[in-house]
Amino acid sequence: MPEHSTTVRDVAVLKVARVGRVEKSDDPLRPFRLVDADGTEVAAVSEFLHHMLADDASPTSLRSYAYELLAWVRFLRAVDVPWYLASRVEARDFALWLKTTKKPPRQRRPDAPAPGSVNPVTGKAVPGENYAARTRRHARAVIGSFYEYHRETHGRPLINPFPQGGAADEGSPNAHHNPMQPFRRPSRRGTYQPKEPKPTPRIIPDQAFNDLFAALKYNRDRALIAFYISTGARASELLGVPQGLVAPGEQTIGVVRKGSQVLQHLPASADAFVWLRSTSKNCAAWSPSTRRSRCGGRCDGPSARWSTTLPGWSSPVRTSCSARTGPCTICGTARPRGWSAIPT
């Protein structure tokens, strides 16, 4: 009887061309779409993204899903396998390819730290040249959800290359349990799922934080750092805080959370509000709601937001008061004579 022979694909020499792209559209029902190498929209991916949008996924999540599926489509094109015929073999090879291949090179500063190095002060690791375990776990989860949706909706393909982990992957391991045998414990990880990395606690020494705080030139930056440290909010959440959500009396600041988009009032330190008050005296980064705009109040502009630019620079956000000279930043009306943006 001849011996069973198998063919193992050598992913080390596999050339995956960077073809296809993710396009952004102005359609709110289809914010992103995946286009293959021939310039044709991948209908299966568009249908899945439409399903995720109806399942209350955010546009940023849809963009992330689209790029993970783009990597999967590129890999399948390199091995010449249609997406609906992919099996566990392609899933295994894709997991190995993500683990061993290097990320596309990007332009770095001459003084940038080496990839994979660790900051000696903060302990934060610089992204390495290969894909991180969290990236590979996310790619597996997205592709598995993509195939599971098409299985439940259309009944094909019959096999999910990346099935769910744990008990869902093994069915019901204790359905016909023998009372004389111990219960089987389902595996915690799914097939070809990288192990979850254990995060290392990172802290900054007190002296290093004092040196950083003293090196800042402007009170605006000190206020930002004080709110960032005391509230634990993301930098993007703090930069989007309008003036009406700052409550110095209650020592709270309202931020809109990145994932849930829910408004949450976070307690902040008293020093942060002191630096914020000092900032409003030096420049109108946080202007009172009763202060008039540069046109003298003839336009009904929105409440001021935090401005991360210095006086004399154009602000990336719409502000109702600015220390720069020139027309109103909202309506374009010329500034009235004798009007000053700096509080007296």
Side-chain angles (χ1 to χ4, degrees), residues 2-316:
E3 184 181 359
H4 178 69
S5 62
T6 58
T7 302
V8 179
R9 185 182 291 117
D10 189 3
V11 297
V13 298
L14 185 64
K15 301 297 182 181
V16 179
R18 301 186 63 188
V19 294
R21 61 189 183 277
V22 175
E23 293 183 348
K24 182 180 180 181
S25 64
D26 298 332
D27 188 359
L29 298 179
R30 299 177 62 187
F32 296 95
R33 67 170 191 163
L34 178 60
V35 179
D36 59 9
D38 301 331
T40 306
E41 180 179 359
V42 183
V45 175
S46 300
E47 182 181 352
F48 172 70
L49 296 179
H50 198 67
H51 158 72
M52 295 302 300
L53 180 63
D55 201 22
D56 206 19
S58 63
T60 54
S61 297
L62 296 180
R63 180 180 180 272
S64 176
Y65 297 160
Y67 274 104
E68 299 292 2
L69 292 172
L70 174 62
W72 174 246
V73 170
R74 287 174 175 175
F75 177 83
L76 293 180
R77 184 178 182 273
V79 297
D80 197 17
V81 176
W83 72 269
Y84 51 85
L85 295 180
S87 62
R88 298 289 178 89
V89 176
E90 282 68 39
R92 176 200 62 194
D93 295 340
F94 180 72
L96 289 174
W97 177 75
L98 278 182
K99 185 177 181 180
T100 57
T101 189
K102 292 185 178 181
K103 295 184 292 186
R106 61 177 182 177
Q107 186 177 5
R108 297 177 180 271
R109 303 192 314 270
D111 57 342
S117 60
V118 179
N119 191 309
V121 178
T122 62
K124 182 178 180 181
V126 180
E129 295 180 348
N130 296 80
Y131 290 100
R134 296 184 184 276
T135 304
R136 292 184 281 123
R137 288 173 62 92
H138 183 259
R140 184 199 181 280
V142 171
I143 299 172
S145 301
F146 167 75
Y147 278 94
E148 199 63 28
Y149 163 75
H150 283 281
R151 284 186 59 199
E152 296 178 356
T153 305
H154 305 290
R156 59 188 297 268
L158 299 178
I159 298 177
N160 187 345
F162 294 95
Q164 299 179 2
D169 193 0
E170 302 178 4
S172 299
N174 298 307
H176 303 282
H177 172 65
N178 185 355
M180 302 300 295
Q181 299 293 333
F183 283 91
R184 292 176 53 193
R185 298 182 59 183
S187 60
R188 297 183 179 180
R189 293 192 299 117
T191 308
Y192 309 129
Q193 181 179 13
K195 295 181 180 180
E196 185 176 3
K198 297 181 180 179
T200 304
R202 295 187 292 106
I203 60 174
I204 180 172
D206 294 340
Q207 185 59 37
F209 178 77
N210 294 336
D211 296 341
L212 170 65
F213 207 79
L216 300 176
K217 297 182 179 180
Y218 305 98
N219 293 337
R220 173 210 59 194
D221 300 335
R222 298 185 180 96
L224 271 173
I225 294 297
F227 276 111
Y228 182 76
I229 296 297
S230 60
T231 62
R234 296 179 176 88
S236 59
E237 296 172 349
L238 290 176
L239 294 176
V241 175
Q243 185 246 345
L245 295 180
V246 179
E250 301 177 0
Q251 290 193 2
T252 60
I253 183 171
V255 299
V256 179
R257 285 304 186 181
K258 174 184 175 182
S260 60
Q261 299 296 315
V262 175
L263 176 64
Q264 184 178 4
H265 296 272
L266 303 177
S269 63
D271 294 339
F273 291 97
V274 172
W275 290 114
L276 180 62
R277 180 57 182 169
S278 178
T279 300
S280 63
K281 289 184 178 180
N282 295 335
C283 110
W286 286 85
S287 60
S289 57
T290 57
R291 187 161 188 84
R292 312 183 110 195
S293 60
R294 188 174 297 172
C295 63
R298 288 191 288 272
C299 67
D300 187 13
S303 59
R305 290 175 179 242
W306 189 290
S307 177
T308 57
T309 55
L310 304 180
W313 293 61
S314 60
S315 176

